[in-house]
Amino acid sequence: MNISELTRPLLLAEPLEHARFAPFGQVIEASATARHFTINAGNTERYHDLADVAPGPDGRAIISIFRGQPRRLPFTVEMLERHPLGSQAFMPISGGPYLVVVAPPCDRPGTEDIRVFLARGDQGVNYAPGVWHHPLLALDAVSDYIVVDRSGPGRNCDEIELDDPLDIDIPAAQR
Amino acid sequence: MNISELTRPLLLAEPLEHARFAPFGQVIEASATARHFTINAGNTERYHDLADVAPGPDGRAIISIFRGQPRRLPFTVEMLERHPLGSQAFMPISGGPYLVVVAPPCDRPGTEDIRVFLARGDQGVNYAPGVWHHPLLALDAVSDYIVVDRSGPGRNCDEIELDDPLDIDIPAAQR
């Protein structure tokens, strides 16, 4: 371990809540505060229209499955990516918590712009177009996610290397 | 129990497989035969564009969560519905098997048009526009599903009562 590793900042994950995540997109969950109503002759509760799916005027929404290998904590965030032309939603289908690292739309996010959230296995996220985020950060086990994002013309993925990498972890009480 | 109940036809569920389900839409699963490729510097496998999301020219794709109460087997199918203006995809996020009852687009499906599939907890389905289907048929437990369907103008739900209700069940070997 060298000096720079010793002095890297450490950011602990916040809980994933609607108000906290609002600058970056939407939390997808069947919460009591979500708009919901009963359908199918009383059999089913519909939690309605939980994310702003935004494929853009020349794109279309597609459904994929991402299978992510688990990461070890603490994890060093060295890069971020963004999709300028469309939203991207993730919903776990294997259960299990995961980490969400984001920064608001800007030219080049710095350490102070980055937020880390701990998502429960029953919570999804939808990144608004242009929101910087780290690729999938599954924990504990190989995990599958339903992904709703954009297919269409144009360059829809930018990546940056951070000037100052940082370490992320989850609070000890939630390990 | 009266005579008509005794004589109602019984249909046992088929396994949910791509070729069998093709007349009705797509099976959503991370199968070896799906188009897939590695992303995120080797961390993630992307099973790409697994369903024909079709919100129509004046609609948009939305993401909802459906929470279904479990049904008891054998279950009597008395009605079907269809969404003429858009596709509707279901992916279980609680795990657990469920039943899928469909009939191809037509004016009025009869008993001979109806197919029943047993979906595993890691399989989703996408109904093509106009495909008749029964509302959510969770089994075993209260179950949540991510639903990708259409929001937009116009009437997008037709329901019919079947002239001849039928009973459905799963094969004894899979109970």
Side-chain angles (χ1 to χ4, degrees), chain B residues 131-162:
Chain B
V131 165
W132 292 103
H133 56 277
H134 194 278
L136 199 51
L137 293 170
L139 304 173
D140 302 337
V142 177
S143 302
D144 287 356
Y145 301 78
I146 277 281
V147 175
V148 178
D149 62 3
R150 174 192 184 268
S151 180
R155 176 189 169 89
N156 192 27
C157 192
D158 300 328
E159 283 188 23
I160 51 154
E161 302 293 319
L162 295 181

Side-chain angles (χ1 to χ4, degrees), chain A residues 44-78:
Chain A
T44 304
E45 197 69 10
R46 180 176 178 132
Y47 296 81
H48 184 71
D49 196 3
L50 302 173
D52 294 337
V53 178
D58 59 354
R60 64 186 177 89
I62 61 171
I63 300 175
S64 302
I65 294 176
F66 282 20
R67 176 164 292 168
Q69 301 297 314
R71 313 281 189 158
R72 278 195 208 158
L73 297 178
F75 179 82
T76 304
V77 176
E78 296 180 316

Side-chain angles (χ1 to χ4, degrees), chain A residues 128-139:
Chain A
V131 164
W132 293 104
H133 56 276
H134 195 279
L136 199 49
L137 293 169
L139 303 174

Side-chain angles (χ1 to χ4, degrees), chain B residues 115-130:
Chain B
R115 302 271 292 273
V116 186
F117 296 94
L118 176 60
R120 301 188 314 259
D122 63 349
Q123 290 181 310
V125 290
N126 184 48
Y127 301 125

Side-chain angles (χ1 to χ4, degrees), chain B residues 18 29-36 47 50:
Chain B
H18 289 270
E29 64 179 326
S31 70
T33 54
R35 181 182 165 206
H36 60 102
Y47 296 82
L50 301 173

Side-chain angles (χ1 to χ4, degrees), chain B residues 82-97:
Chain B
R82 68 176 172 189
H83 308 302
L85 304 181
S87 60
Q88 187 176 46
F90 289 81
M91 185 78 205
I93 54 179
S94 309

Side-chain angles (χ1 to χ4, degrees), chain B residues 12-29 31 90-92 96-102 115-127 171 174:
Chain B
L12 293 181
E14 311 169 47
L16 181 62
E17 296 168 355
H18 289 270
R20 291 172 188 261
F21 194 71
F24 312 105
Q26 298 83 41
V27 179
I28 302 169
E29 64 179 326
S31 70
F90 289 81
M91 185 78 205
Y98 60 104
L99 286 173
V100 173
V101 177
V102 284
R115 302 271 292 273
V116 186
F117 296 94
L118 176 60
R120 301 188 314 259
D122 63 349
Q123 290 181 310
V125 290
N126 184 48
Y127 301 125
Q174 286 162 59

